[in-house]
Amino acid sequence: MKMFRLAATAATLLVSLGAAQAQTTLRIGLAEDPDILDPTMARTYVGRIVFAAFCDKLFDIDEKLNIVPQLALSSETADDGKALVIKLRPGVKFHDGEPFDAEAAKFSLERHLTFPGSFRKPELASVDHVEVVDPLTIRLVLKAPFSPLLAQLTDRAGMMVSPKAAKAEGDKFGLHPVCAGPYKFVERVQQDRIVFEKFSDYWNKDNVFIDRVVFQPIVDSTVRLANLKSGGLDLIERVLATDLKDVRADSRLKVATAIELGYQGVTLNIGKDKAKGPLSQSAKVRQALDLAIDREAINQVVFNGEFQVGNQWVNPDHPFYQKAVPVRARNVEKAKALLKEAGVTPPVSVDFLVPKGAETETPAQVIQSMAAEAGFDMKIRVTEFATGLKQAEAGDYQAFMLAWSGRVDPDGNSYIFLHSDAPQNYGAWNNAQADKALEEARLVSDPDKRKAIYETLAKLVQEEEPILYLYHRRIIIAHTTRLEGYKQMPDGLVRVVGLKLK
């Protein structure tokens, strides 16, 4: 009998070990640690990558940038453009088992609109109120027509959270987020890992093949790549362009790329500069800094020519790019002349806030060198990204190397940074003509008419220089050949549905 019990115990252990070994875990290396995991309050690009694993939206985009349903089934805009009716997907549950229905969608949208400090409020500013039409239909009643609304709902403004959990957690919701995505939150250890496990009641569970997803922030790109090569990670984001050749030469790795929807640039502190330095006081000084920079040289020297230079909030291939406002060629002599016209004596000292990481620090150093030739002393101050955002909000900088991951609609790349009342207008630029253009572009659906409005805005921005748009990254994702089904889209997100690990 004793021998039988031992044999039975051994058999049980073997079954348990077999089950444990069958568990698949996708380990993703991030270039930064995200900010808060609350879609209402979050701001970072890296956070959007994490949200894609656990927080479904009303709509998503496909590879051709078409807007497609996710938690919604369909939408219909009223003839006057002042209402949007959305049919919701039936049978959806939140991670806490609560049903996703019209009441829950109404709650999530109203939370985005009313929660103190919400970063989604300006994205949904056109929404007057949300009505429940029936258990699976909502109507968004608008203050005025708002052409980018559907595009806004493909991102965090369209993310749905459990009303029960959100009410219980309040402003601590980001510590225990509950959404309706493919994976549910398990734990987070700051600067170390964020762990998710497969949600068994996910509406699209037949296309979820991996049991756990673990995100690990590793700021150093060399260390991140080394972990991928050694098998410690299965996928990494933001591979350096200079490492592409090495990655492509490794038969154990694959590369997926796309030119981003967003931009890389330098935000200039115009309205909050406590030191009242020349950069904030004169558009001519800001133009001089622009003229000191050779964008193509940065692309070639730092990024092996893999990126795309630009000077606007959309890349030159985008249908809303303004060809009438081309990239300025570098002109050091003209830059010096502008400083003289502005009555400024070089060197112009600039507190240059730069997020930690090779992809930001290296181009910042090149900009520093270029700008010095024109009479600028760019004093680089490297900070952790989230810390830098807080300092930018407080106005504790003069120039800020700041990226934007991009949105499908041009409004999503411009309004929140350039409108005088927008929360991410870190430079506190205030221009009534620009505000008018940004507001008018939201009222118009016709692409040609909208493009004409944005041309006016582009000319104002080039004259005033609140942001020096520099280049558009090639999104470079590297992953092990064990990972199957991965495709990269221009929004830079890592979508985990449909992926398999061999």
Side-chain angles (χ1 to χ4, degrees), residues 402-457:
L402 183 62
W404 178 241
S405 53
R407 301 294 182 269
V408 179
D409 190 279
D411 178 88
N413 286 4
S414 55
Y415 192 101
I416 58 172
F417 301 105
L418 298 172
H419 194 282
S420 58
D421 295 329
Q424 294 184 64
N425 181 355
Y426 297 120
W429 183 50
N430 191 327
N431 185 294
Q433 287 179 276
D435 286 354
K436 183 182 178 185
L438 286 160
E439 290 159 9
E440 285 181 352
R442 289 183 156 188
L443 301 174
V444 178
S445 296
D446 181 85
D448 292 335
K449 291 178 180 177
R450 286 189 83 200
K451 188 168 183 177
I453 294 169
Y454 281 122
E455 182 180 332
T456 299
L457 180 65

